[in-house]
Amino acid sequence: MLTFKNRTALITGAGRGIGKAIAETLAKHGVTVICVSKSAESCGATAAAIVAAGGKAKALAVDVADGAAIAQASEALLKEFPTIDILVNNAGITRDGLLFRMSEADWNDVIATNLTSCFHWTKLIGRPMTRARWGRIVNITSVSGVIGNAGQANYSAAKAGMIGLTKTLAREFAGRSVTVNAVAPGFIKTDMTTEFVNNPEASAKILEAVPLKRFGESADIANLATYLCSEEAGYITGQVFNVDGGMAM
Ligand code: NAP
């Protein structure tokens, strides 16, 4: 069992998939979880399920592509919660296409949702965390940000940007015992990948590049993210952990 000393966590994209699994796993360890998603329905359902299972959770609908909305939400949260000790930047979208066919809107949407959101949340939630001299920040990047992926220039750039942000903030916050790490999933079975996973031809092609020859589960990411948020992970910072069945060896 991992140690969490009465901690509170904010998880973005907690309405579905990986973020939901991270919120549920942290809650099972006694962490109070603030579940953020775009729609009130999805974060509301995650929080309700956690509370029904005996955990502590709050739902908050925030469009993370909107910096002003993040500022407003953070201000209200920091009045309600004395400290937010753990931040998991997980919300993300894809708008795939080869570069010559990629619109500027698709580029901007992916950068705003996947990368700029991390800048805003970390700046707002990270400040009181550094003052409290304890914190954990986990950024959910992607194998696409580590090795690149044709058709995902916007997404790979955003995810690689998260890695640079992780390493820089690990250095900036280290003196305050706030660790910053990244987890880079490969192909995980969620709504984001249904299209590929349910297509036998596409999934066979993807699995050629996965040494473990299967897709991952949200729990594979949640287990590592939860460990990185625990007391026990206090000597790990600035790292990127690939959880991808061996894709990016
Ligand atoms: P998912 O099932 O599509 O869920 C995405 C979550 O992000 C949803 O809860 C969604 O909110 C939220 N979200 C999206 N845009 C948002 C916005 N503008 N504001 C607030 N919330 C927003 O995705 P997933 O597969 O769990 O992916 C989670 C993270 O892992 C992403 O960053 C993704 O890039 C990364 N990742 C996934 C895979 C994979 O194979 N699945 C691989 C590598 C990396 P709603 O529920 O309200 O729509």
Side-chain angles (χ1 to χ4, degrees), residues 12-20 36-40 42-43 62-66 89-94 113-114 140-144 155 159 162 184-193 218:
T12 69
R16 294 179 279 127
I18 292 169
K20 183 177 185 218
V36 171
S37 72
K38 191 166 184 178
S39 83
S42 73
C43 59
V62 183
D63 179 356
V64 304
D66 178 350
N89 285 307
N90 163 82
I93 55 166
T94 52
T113 305
N114 298 16
I140 306 300
T141 173
S142 168
V143 65
S144 300
Y155 184 80
K159 294 299 189 181
M162 285 176 84
F187 277 89
I188 311 298
K189 283 190 270 176
T190 68
D191 292 349
M192 186 177 268
T193 53
S218 292

Side-chain angles (χ1 to χ4, degrees), residues 37-148:
S37 72
K38 191 166 184 178
S39 83
E41 290 73 27
S42 73
C43 59
T46 301
I50 289 170
V51 170
K56 288 165 279 176
K58 175 191 173 75
L60 193 63
V62 183
D63 179 356
V64 304
D66 178 350
I70 296 176
Q72 205 178 12
S74 302
E75 197 185 328
L77 281 173
L78 291 169
K79 281 186 189 142
E80 186 179 345
F81 295 88
T83 54
I84 296 174
D85 317 280
I86 297 166
L87 170 65
V88 182
N89 285 307
N90 163 82
I93 55 166
T94 52
R95 296 284 184 270
D96 295 352
L98 293 170
L99 184 76
F100 296 138
R101 285 190 217 138
M102 187 174 286
S103 69
E104 195 174 341
D106 283 348
W107 172 270
N108 287 335
D109 285 351
V110 169
I111 299 293
T113 305
N114 298 16
L115 178 60
T116 311
S117 62
C118 304
F119 163 77
H120 290 300
W121 282 116
T122 311
K123 214 173 151 185
L124 291 156
I125 304 293
R127 192 186 287 275
M129 214 185 260
T130 55
R131 277 201 210 108
R133 293 179 181 270
W134 194 96
R136 300 280 186 264
I137 298 172
V138 176
N139 294 324
I140 306 300
T141 173
S142 168
V143 65
S144 300
V146 177
I147 60 173

Side-chain angles (χ1 to χ4, degrees), residues 141-149 156 159-160 163 183-185 240-242 244 248-249:
T141 173
S142 168
V143 65
S144 300
V146 177
I147 60 173
N149 190 21
S156 303
K159 294 299 189 181
I163 293 173
V183 178
V240 184
F241 297 92
N242 300 327
D244 60 2
M249 253 189 262

